[in-house]
Amino acid sequence: FDGLSQLAASPAAVVEAPLNGITYAVMAISLMFVAMSAGNALRAHSRVMFLLAAACALMLGLRPLPAPAPGTARLWMKDVGQGQALLLQTARHWVVVDPGPVSPWGRYDAGAMVLLPHLRAFGAKEVAVMVVTHSDLDHAGGANAITAKMAVSDVWGAGGRDCESSPRWEADGVIMQAISTGAQRSWTDNDRSCVVMLTVGNRHVLLTGDIQA
């Protein structure tokens, strides 16, 4: 494990690339090369699995997931363990709502390990708005990783604009509006969470942070 840790610490250990046709083609060729060159080192069913994976990569490369059309959006709810991390993709923009947790010792950072790879894979260059609903580490911990590696145009909530002032963002036919809850200083961090309404056409999504009621 010490040797693996040293390898993982190298800048060359991770290669980040957009999920376009070229990336999938390289993946497919690499898988096919392994399957065909390994010879007797791989059993027949293992070679079949590599070739099937190569075929899947080729098919994905021929039909990559496009950006949403104007007036529509895609909401990604990422599995980050305890806490919350959401990504909103519109035709031309990305919004982060809660960048997820960071462990007390920094060994797990959802911003660096879950959200940034997703954003880069889909070719994101910047984040239009990052909403940090409240300062608890399971919701806000990944914020530093996002701001360190990617331009963030606006921040709402913890470390940014007060959601009680009801900031609003609109682009590509999508509206995001913070809703004042009348939060008081005496309330818990959870109950002071930013509450955000997303409106896409005639559909609404209410993002409530950790409010109790």
Side-chain angles (χ1 to χ4, degrees):
F1 281 107
D2 288 341
L4 290 174
S5 296
Q6 292 177 13
L7 289 172
S10 167
V14 177
V15 176
E16 295 173 341
L19 292 178
N20 55 29
I22 295 175
T23 305
Y24 281 115
V26 170
M27 291 168 58
I29 292 169
S30 301
L31 289 164
M32 291 173 67
F33 178 79
V34 171
M36 304 309 295
S37 65
N40 294 331
L42 284 178
R43 295 186 179 184
H45 68 271
S46 297
R47 284 199 293 273
V48 170
M49 292 301 292
F50 271 100
L51 291 173
L52 285 174
C56 289
L58 282 174
M59 287 188 290
L60 288 168
L62 292 173
R63 191 177 179 182
L65 188 64
T72 69
R74 186 177 291 121
L75 183 64
W76 305 83
M77 307 183 72
K78 305 299 289 184
D79 183 358
V80 292
Q82 178 180 334
Q84 174 173 281
L86 307 173
L87 293 170
L88 176 72
Q89 183 186 18
T90 71
R92 296 174 299 145
H93 298 283
W94 286 87
V95 172
V96 175
V97 180
D98 284 341
V102 64
S103 67
W105 300 277
R107 294 180 181 176
Y108 173 66
D109 186 326
M113 300 171 73
V114 179
L115 300 191
L116 277 174
H118 181 112
L119 290 166
R120 286 171 170 159
F122 283 87
K125 303 298 183 184
E126 63 179 354
V127 173
V129 181
M130 180 165 64
V131 182
V132 183
T133 59
H134 60 297
S135 60
D136 289 359
L137 281 182
D138 59 340
H139 286 242
N144 289 338
I146 300 291
T147 56
K149 297 293 185 179
M150 189 166 287
V152 178
S153 299
D154 198 6
V155 178
W156 300 0
R161 288 204 275 167
D162 187 357
C163 286
E164 287 299 300
S165 66
S166 300
R168 174 187 169 98
W169 176 82
E170 182 174 357
D172 301 330
V174 177
I175 300 170
M176 184 172 71
Q177 174 82 56
I179 299 172
S180 172
T181 62
Q184 306 296 314
R185 288 184 176 273
S186 59
W187 293 10
T188 65
D189 282 349
N190 284 354
D191 285 334
R192 291 200 305 271
S193 292
C194 288
V195 176
V196 176
M197 177 73 80
L198 298 177
T199 302
V200 185
N202 61 355
R203 299 187 178 189
H204 307 280
V205 182
L206 188 66
L207 305 178
T208 61
D210 269 350
I211 61 173
Q212 303 297 309

